[in-house]
Amino acid sequence: MPERLTEMLMDTWTPLIILWITVLPSIYMAPMNQSQVLPSGSSTGLKRLNEEQRILHRSKRGWVWNQMFVLEEFSGPEPILVGRLHTDLDPGSSKIKYILSGDGAGTIFVINDKTGDIHAMKRLDREEKAEYTLTAQAVDRDTNQPLEPPSEFIIKVQDINDNAPEFVEGPYHATVPEMSVVGTFVTKVTATDADDPVYGNSAKLVYSILEGQPYFSIEPHTAIIKTALPNMDREAKEEYFVVIQAKDMGGHMGGLSGTTTVTITLSDVNDNPPKFAQSLYHFSVMEDVALGEPIGRVKANDLDIGENAKSSYDIIEGDGMDVFEITTDAQTQDGIIRVRKPLDFETKKSYTLKVEAANIHIDPRFLSGGPFKDTATVKIVVEDADEPPVFSSPTYLLEVHENAALNSVLGQVAAHDPDVSSSPIRFSIDRHTDLERQFNVNAEDGKITLATPLDRETSTWHNITIVATETRNHSQVSRVPVAIKVLDVNDNAPEFASEHEAFLCENGKPGQVIQIVSAVDKDDPKNGHYFLYSLLPEMVNNPNFTIKKNEDNTLSILAKHSGFSRQKQEVYLLPIVISDSGTPPMSSTGTLTIRVCGCSSDGTVQSCNAEAYVLPIGLSMGALIAILACIILLLVIVVLFVTLRRHKNEPLIIKDDEDVRENIIRYDDEGGGEEDTEAFDIATLQNPDGINGFLPRKDIKPDLQFMPRQGLAPVPNGVDVDEFINVRLHEADNDPTAPPYDSIQIYGYEGKGSAAGSLSSLESSTSDSDQNFDYLSEWGPRFKRLGELYSVGESDKET
């Protein structure tokens, strides 16, 4: 305690002692040195002072002011004296006035204008502002004229140890590999002190560890943290909490201190091998397990983490190395055992494997610790499963001739139960593959027979599926595809490839080829088709035509002579016999139609009709067309002329006595008088389609197909006449064989929406003489033309 008190007194009074030694002598020596004045920074001032010294014979000033000191954080009952300013020009008569300006002048620092004493009025903080620059000047008190140029000086705030060290970047986190050697660098911390690092020991820091020993150490002056113990194991302890202290005053007693924390984590290294949880594993699997299915898992634990804990698994020994495989689960690091080949309980009932787990990433520094791998034994027991039947072949191919007899055996399939307790097998056909039921299979022995006749020309291949089912367990089913090829037999006669019609020119020459015909055969012989052509026996000595076999299996028809005439005979029929080369051979007779035609000189067919002979000789087809066009044009002109004359001479309005629409049609029916309740309503005779706003066109032929007209049945008493007429009208509309296609004309219906009203003369109340049609021109161009036509008719009548 006495030492601490002495240290505090020294820290407090040392600056005061220094101030006393440096400042007070100058203050008290001023009266003794008559040459002391304010320092001047200008050469002019110095020159003037030198002249005054020579005149007054004054001695050189004994002190030069350029720097003052004041202790920070000093507080007392009165302002602290910083220093005194004095000039040689002051005779002591109080005629000189001292003025202070600059940083804090008048607020922080105040000067006595008579004595030149400077006092600090406030408590100062060096960390806030370390120094103040001020300017002092001496002026005449009466005239305020400067006696000397202004002089600048600095007041420095002296530091005391009033700030503790701080770790600005803390708290810290660091990582170091486990098993590191002593002295391995961990991290570096840094503390800052706001005190003056130049003056005294206030900012001289020393670092130490308060918590974290004996695992880590710190350099006192560099603050570097290092490992202090060897072989620290992450698996034993992964994280450490370290407290670091920084103390100023060089770590001596009385200094201030600050602390921070450092969390140090040991990173993993691969210093542990994998280890199986057990040395022997037992698994069982059904023999019908699918390939690639997992049957069990093994696990080798590794105390390391991340990449250092990853292991690979292998089967290194055993009698099932080719039957099983082991892979690594990337998520759980398990070893997954899977089936590579099919299992068969009847062949082998158990397997023994030896599996190994080894680290993928090895650290060479720890190889001396032993191999980073481990082994375990795996025993796998195969259990019996009820397996489906097995066919003797994966597919079957059968052949049968298309003329095979019904119920003949085409082939046989075979299957057996692979289980120890073998079950009998029954065979059947999947009828989805044999919809026409052309084949049957014997349920006991698997023989396939023919159920319906086959035709190779219709279908060459038949693909069916045979199903084998265990009689003891119907759920055990197997299927096998059976392909049946239908072999060809010569059962189709050849025939013409197409319907031929030959044309023979009247001016043809003897031996000229009229037509080349070819034949086809639906059969498919192995060596290809070869056809024989001949004429019927009664046509062998045909006087008009002969045949010639070509090398490409076709036939040429030749004319024996010239001078054929359409007028004499227009068409010739030539029967030709076509035979194939099969066994037995098949033949057919085709008839070739030969038409005699008129041809040009180069052999181009022009006309094949006998009526052409009545035309004048030498008249070409183009001339005939031109003549026909002229005739049609003349007829059109005549019709137009007659139509125009008729419109000009006949009035448009038909007189009452000429109106055929009002002809009386007599029916020999007598009404029933007042008792007749079935009298006809004239409204039912109107077209019902017209009533609904739809009028069918009468100028085109109906597109509907002809509907046969039913026989007219006698109309019973009480029949609906409206329905009867509608039925007959519908039949007339759809009967294309009875023109005109609709003989009922409706005049009692007007269109809707017309602004002109009705134009019918039947409903006009005026006579022909007083009817004026000039108002029609106001309704538009179309009605204007109509008015002109009616006006023309009226003028014709008056004329």
Side-chain angles (χ1 to χ4, degrees):
M1 186 64 184
E3 295 177 358
R4 173 64 177 170
L5 181 58
T6 303
E7 185 176 358
M8 293 177 63
L9 291 175
M10 289 296 293
D11 292 342
T12 305
W13 288 102
T14 298
L16 295 177
I17 294 171
I18 295 174
L19 180 63
W20 181 269
I21 295 173
T22 57
V23 176
L24 293 183
S26 63
I27 297 174
Y28 292 103
M29 288 175 66
M32 298 173 63
N33 295 328
Q34 298 297 326
S35 62
Q36 183 177 359
V37 296
L38 274 169
S40 174
S42 73
S43 59
T44 306
L46 292 175
K47 183 177 180 180
R48 191 185 69 175
L49 290 177
N50 292 334
E51 293 177 353
E52 291 178 354
Q53 288 176 356
R54 286 197 298 271
I55 296 173
L56 298 176
H57 302 285
R58 292 175 179 174
S59 61
K60 186 178 181 181
R61 72 178 63 172
W63 197 262
V64 177
W65 287 94
N66 59 4
Q67 186 170 302
M68 293 183 181
F69 296 91
V70 61
L71 193 66
E72 73 167 331
E73 303 293 344
F74 182 82
S75 61
E78 296 181 357
I80 181 173
L81 178 63
V82 179
R84 174 179 290 179
L85 299 179
H86 188 71
T87 178
D88 297 350
L89 300 178
D90 186 1
S93 60
S94 300
K95 290 186 177 181
I96 297 178
K97 181 181 180 181
Y98 294 97
I99 299 174
L100 186 64
S101 62
D103 294 341
T107 56
I108 299 176
F109 301 101
V110 177
I111 189 170
N112 190 322
D113 59 354
K114 293 181 179 180
T115 62
D117 294 339
I118 301 175
H119 291 82
M121 307 302 292
K122 294 183 179 180
R123 185 177 181 178
L124 302 179
D125 187 0
R126 190 201 67 84
E127 287 72 38
E128 182 178 346
K129 190 172 180 64
E131 62 182 28
Y132 296 85
T133 302
L134 297 99
T135 302
Q137 190 176 19
V139 299
D140 187 276
R141 186 178 294 274
D142 297 330
T143 62
N144 284 332
Q145 293 296 324
L147 302 178
E148 286 188 359
S151 180
E152 186 179 90
F153 65 97
I154 297 173
I155 298 178
K156 286 192 175 182
V157 182
Q158 284 188 323
D159 182 51
I160 64 172
N161 189 19
D162 60 340
N163 290 280
E166 294 182 357
F167 291 90
V168 180
E169 299 177 358
Y172 295 86
H173 295 271
T175 303
V176 63
E178 64 173 331
M179 310 302 290
S180 296
V181 298
V182 175
T184 302
F185 174 84
V186 178
T187 187
K188 179 181 179 180
V189 297
T190 302
T192 59
D193 196 321
D195 293 326
D196 192 353
V198 179
Y199 180 78
N201 294 327
S202 298
K204 186 178 181 180
L205 304 180
V206 174
Y207 299 90
S208 61
I209 291 182
L210 299 182
E211 294 183 19
Q213 295 175 336
Y215 306 103
F216 302 96
S217 63
I218 188 170
E219 291 287 339
H221 301 290
T222 61
I224 296 177
I225 302 175
K226 300 180 180 179
T227 59
L229 284 181
N231 302 327
M232 286 190 291
D233 192 1
R234 184 200 65 83
E235 289 73 32
K237 185 176 181 180
E238 182 177 6
E239 191 173 84
Y240 295 84
F241 189 76
V242 181
V243 178
I244 305 296
Q245 182 191 63
K247 189 175 183 181
D248 58 13
M249 298 300 293
H252 293 93
M253 184 178 297
L256 302 177
S257 65
T259 60
T260 188
T261 59
V262 182
T263 303
I264 302 176
T265 304
L266 298 182
S267 60
D268 185 63
V269 297
N270 190 12
D271 58 339
N272 294 281
K275 187 70 175 177
F276 281 104
Q278 56 193 72
S279 60
L280 179 63
Y281 294 85
H282 291 275
F283 300 107
S284 61
V285 58
M286 299 297 293
E287 63 173 330
D288 59 350
V289 65
L291 298 183
E293 284 291 318
I295 63 172
R297 289 173 174 255
V298 297
K299 179 65 178 292
N301 298 315
D302 195 322
L303 297 178
D304 299 320
I305 59 175
E307 295 292 325
N308 297 321
K310 290 185 177 180
S311 300
S312 62
Y313 296 87
D314 290 299
I315 300 176
I316 58 176
E317 292 181 12
D319 53 358
M321 295 181 62
D322 58 338
V323 180
F324 302 94
E325 64 179 359
I326 186 169
T327 58
T328 304
D329 189 332
Q331 300 296 329
T332 63
Q333 290 298 305
D334 292 346
I336 305 174
I337 301 176
R338 303 177 187 272
V339 179
R340 292 179 58 187
K341 293 184 178 180
L343 302 178
D344 188 5
F345 172 81
E346 289 73 26
T347 303
K348 190 172 180 63
K349 296 178 176 58
S350 66
Y351 296 88
T352 301
L353 306 175
K354 188 175 183 180
V355 297
E356 178 186 76
N359 277 151
I360 298 176
H361 303 283
I362 304 295
D363 194 334
R365 295 177 299 170
F366 305 102
L367 286 177
S368 59
F372 285 79
K373 63 178 78 173
D374 194 18
T375 58
T377 302
V378 178
K379 289 190 175 182
I380 302 173
V381 177
V382 180
E383 297 183 359
D384 188 23
D386 192 2
E387 300 174 86
V390 178
F391 283 95
S392 60
S393 175
T395 59
Y396 292 89
L397 175 62
L398 306 179
E399 293 183 347
V400 57
H401 286 89
E402 60 179 326
N403 61 350
L406 298 181
N407 298 322
S408 59
V409 177
L410 310 182
Q412 186 177 10
V413 297
H416 70 283
D417 185 3
D419 298 324
V420 176
S421 57
S422 180
S423 171
I425 305 299
R426 293 188 63 84
F427 299 95
S428 62
I429 296 179
D430 185 354
R431 290 303 176 183
H432 292 91
T433 62
D434 183 26
L435 297 176
E436 298 181 358
R437 296 182 174 271
Q438 293 181 286
F439 306 96
N440 291 324
V441 63
N442 190 295
E444 304 297 335
D445 56 13
K447 291 182 178 180
I448 301 174
T449 56
L450 184 63
T452 60
L454 300 177
D455 185 7
R456 189 203 66 83
E457 289 71 36
T458 302
S459 180
T460 305
W461 287 93
H462 297 272
N463 297 299
I464 63 174
T465 299
I466 301 297
V467 181
T469 307
E470 292 184 7
T471 57
R472 297 177 183 174
N473 186 359
H474 292 173
S475 63
Q476 296 299 326
V477 176
S478 296
R479 300 169 179 270
V480 67
V482 178
I484 302 174
K485 183 180 181 180
V486 182
L487 303 179
D488 183 55
V489 296
N490 192 26
D491 58 345
N492 290 279
E495 56 187 11
F496 283 130
S498 61
E499 294 292 334
H500 293 287
E501 185 177 18
F503 298 96
L504 174 63
C505 293
E506 291 180 311
N507 55 356
K509 299 179 180 179
Q512 182 179 359
V513 177
I514 301 172
Q515 183 71 32
I516 296 178
V517 297
S518 59
V520 293
D521 195 332
K522 295 181 180 179
D523 296 321
D524 187 19
K526 295 181 179 181
N527 298 325
H529 291 288
Y530 182 79
F531 300 117
L532 299 175
Y533 301 93
S534 62
L535 298 175
L536 290 176
E538 60 271 18
M539 299 292 293
V540 172
N541 297 323
N542 189 306
N544 300 315
F545 307 101
T546 184
I547 61 176
K548 178 184 177 183
K549 176 68 181 300
N550 301 323
E551 295 181 359
D552 59 353
N553 222 16
T554 60
L555 179 68
S556 297
I557 311 299
L558 294 83
K560 282 188 175 182
H561 59 84
S562 60
F564 289 91
S565 174
R566 284 178 289 171
Q567 192 173 11
K568 181 178 180 182
Q569 185 172 349
E570 182 182 359
V571 177
Y572 294 89
L573 299 178
L574 183 62
I576 300 176
V577 180
I578 310 171
S579 302
D580 59 19
S581 57
T583 303
M586 302 290 290
S587 63
S588 65
T589 301
T591 301
L592 178 65
T593 301
I594 303 174
R595 189 177 298 277
V596 181
C597 302
C599 303
S600 61
S601 59
D602 58 354
T604 303
V605 176
Q606 292 182 340
S607 176
C608 298
N609 297 323
E611 291 78 9
Y613 281 100
V614 303
L615 298 176
I617 299 176
L619 196 59
S620 63
M621 184 63 66
L624 292 175
I625 294 174
I627 294 172
L628 182 60
C630 292
I631 294 172
I632 294 173
L633 181 60
L634 291 174
L635 290 175
V636 171
I637 292 173
V638 170
V639 171
L640 290 175
F641 180 79
V642 172
T643 303
L644 290 176
R645 292 287 297 174
R646 182 178 179 183
H647 277 288
K648 185 175 181 181
N649 295 331
E650 295 182 4
L652 296 178
I653 300 178
I654 303 175
K655 296 180 179 180
D656 294 337
D657 56 350
E658 296 177 357
D659 190 357
V660 296
R661 294 171 295 178
E662 297 180 0
N663 290 344
I664 297 176
I665 302 175
R666 184 180 301 278
Y667 297 91
D668 294 333
D669 280 343
E670 289 186 2
E674 295 180 354
E675 299 297 329
D676 188 3
T677 59
E678 297 182 0
F680 290 100
D681 185 5
I682 192 64
T684 60
L685 296 179
Q686 295 181 345
N687 191 346
D689 292 335
I691 296 174
N692 296 329
F694 170 77
L695 292 175
R697 295 181 61 180
K698 312 300 188 300
D699 56 341
I700 59 173
K701 186 176 180 179
D703 294 331
L704 298 176
Q705 295 182 357
F706 170 68
M707 299 176 60
R709 185 188 299 271
Q710 301 294 331
L712 296 176
V715 179
N717 294 332
V719 70
D720 190 347
V721 178
D722 188 10
E723 181 180 358
F724 176 79
I725 294 177
N726 287 336
V727 172
R728 292 299 178 262
L729 180 61
H730 179 70
E731 291 179 355
D733 289 341
N734 293 277
D735 186 1
T737 61
Y741 305 111
D742 193 346
S743 60
I744 299 178
Q745 304 298 325
I746 304 299
Y747 297 99
Y749 177 80
E750 292 293 340
K752 297 179 180 180
S754 174
S758 175
L759 300 179
S760 173
S761 61
L762 297 177
E763 299 176 0
S764 177
S765 60
T766 60
S767 63
D768 294 341
S769 60
D770 59 358
Q771 182 74 18
N772 186 5
F773 300 98
D774 293 338
Y775 65 92
L776 294 178
S777 59
E778 299 176 1
W779 295 351
R782 298 182 180 178
F783 291 96
K784 181 178 180 181
R785 178 59 179 162
L786 182 61
E788 292 175 355
L789 292 176
Y790 273 79
S791 299
V792 170
E794 293 295 329
S795 61
D796 290 343
K797 287 167 53 180
E798 294 174 0
T799 302

